[in-house]
Amino acid sequence: MKKRLLFLLLLLFSYIISAQDADNSLQGYYKATNDKTFYNSFNFDGNGKVLISDMDYGDYFTRNDSLIIYPDKSIFIFKIKKGKLTGVSNWVEKGIWIPKKDSSEINNRKNPVDAQKKAQLLAEYYDKTKSSSKSDLDFEALLSSKTAGINEELCNKGLAKACMNLFGLKMMEYTPGLLSDPAKIASKKIKPHPELIALSKKIIDLGEPEGYTVLGSYYYTLGLKDKAFKTWDEGEKNGSLKSGTTKALIEFQEGIEKDAK
């Protein structure tokens, strides 16, 4: 009995230590040293956001000698060795990235306390959602209700990424036919659900401009095109990259459909 109790205490202690080690103060521009990867650069802001290949943002944290990046619904895992980033998970496993000279000398860390909290919450999210292989996400869990409780818990604690995931799960719950026949949703005249509106506002208030993107996409799915484009416009003004690309993609698709008629 005493041995089992000691074992559990040691496990708990090791978890607490690992959670405290989570950080996101890494900053600077890292360039790929070869062409064996899809991602030629990572630019870390020192606050938990990383610009990937100068095209889109992700979230990140470091713990011990590991670096974890969440580009939307995927995950990249690296080892930090002698200042270099060595990819060890799918999509980045053949890559090595080195810091651009002098790129880390400018201190962009804005609020260390808030940034540290975000790093610890993201590490907690990683520990609770990683697959058994520890190198990728459990997509089946993400697309089901298995992670709803985890996302709700961490969203309530202030992790914007968890709120984004929760928005997607709630959107499926409150929008019948979203996966089976999305083209017919607009004809059903479904009113925007107040919980989703409130959740998108919370995402934005947590400093995540992609809250505009998901809200605009929700409006567009319901057939509220004007509201969708106004929301994406607002997202662009507030630093959302996906709002701009989503709007451009929709305009392109609508142009093709119009020309085909």
Side-chain angles (χ1 to χ4, degrees):
M1 178 66 182
K2 289 183 178 180
K3 288 184 178 180
R4 289 200 299 270
L5 181 59
L6 178 60
F7 177 71
L8 290 173
L9 288 174
L10 287 173
L11 276 180
L12 178 62
F13 182 73
S14 65
Y15 174 78
I16 293 172
I17 292 298
S18 66
Q20 289 176 339
D21 285 343
D23 192 19
N24 53 22
S25 59
L26 176 70
Q27 56 188 315
Y29 189 92
Y30 285 72
K31 186 76 174 176
T33 61
N34 57 45
D35 58 359
K36 296 181 179 180
T37 174
F38 291 110
Y39 308 97
N40 61 5
S41 67
F42 295 98
N43 194 356
F44 302 91
D45 72 350
N47 301 288
K49 280 292 181 183
V50 52
L51 181 60
I52 303 169
S53 294
D54 297 319
M55 293 189 300
D56 201 3
Y57 285 101
D59 300 298
Y60 74 93
F61 73 93
T62 61
R63 188 162 60 186
N64 301 321
D65 64 344
S66 295
L67 164 66
I68 311 295
I69 295 178
Y70 281 99
D72 199 13
K73 293 294 185 293
S74 187
I75 185 173
F76 300 154
I77 301 176
F78 307 79
K79 286 296 182 181
I80 305 173
K81 299 178 180 179
K82 298 181 179 179
K84 298 179 182 180
L85 308 180
T86 301
V88 297
S89 66
N90 294 338
W91 302 106
V92 296
E93 59 186 346
K94 294 182 180 180
I96 296 177
W97 292 260
I98 59 174
K100 184 179 178 181
K101 188 177 180 181
D102 300 331
S103 69
S104 61
E105 291 185 2
I106 300 174
N107 187 1
N108 295 312
R109 198 157 171 85
K110 298 173 183 177
N111 189 320
V113 175
D114 286 348
Q116 187 68 22
K117 177 185 176 183
K118 180 179 178 181
Q120 292 179 354
L121 288 176
L122 193 59
E124 185 177 349
Y125 173 85
Y126 169 74
D127 290 333
K128 291 181 176 180
T129 60
K130 64 187 176 184
S131 70
S132 57
S133 67
K134 299 183 180 180
S135 63
D136 211 340
L137 291 177
D138 187 343
F139 285 103
E140 182 181 347
L142 287 174
L143 293 174
S144 69
S145 60
K146 292 180 182 178
T147 60
I150 296 170
N151 284 308
E152 188 162 10
E153 175 193 355
L154 293 177
C155 177
N156 290 336
K157 289 182 178 180
L159 182 63
K161 178 174 178 56
C163 296
M164 292 276 288
N165 293 343
L166 191 61
F167 187 98
L169 292 170
K170 294 287 186 181
M171 185 173 167
M172 288 191 288
E173 179 183 348
Y174 297 140
T175 316
L178 181 63
L179 296 180
S180 60
D181 201 351
K184 291 185 178 179
I185 292 176
S187 64
K188 297 179 181 178
K189 305 295 182 182
I190 301 173
K191 292 183 178 180
H193 199 287
E195 186 176 347
L196 287 174
I197 304 300
L199 188 54
S200 66
K201 184 180 184 301
K202 180 173 183 175
I203 293 168
I204 294 166
D205 289 344
L206 286 170
E208 179 52 78
E210 300 308 337
Y212 292 103
T213 306
V214 294
L215 179 60
S217 299
Y218 179 50
Y219 283 146
Y220 191 85
T221 301
L222 297 182
L224 304 173
K225 181 178 174 181
D226 289 342
K227 272 193 171 185
F229 275 86
K230 286 180 181 178
T231 303
W232 288 327
D233 286 339
E234 193 68 21
E236 279 191 287
K237 292 177 184 177
N238 286 277
S240 166
L241 294 180
K242 285 191 178 71
S243 283
T245 55
T246 302
K247 185 174 69 171
L249 179 61
I250 294 295
E251 290 173 335
F252 177 72
Q253 290 175 337
E254 289 183 345
I256 291 176
E257 293 171 1
K258 184 178 180 181
D259 291 340
K261 290 181 179 179

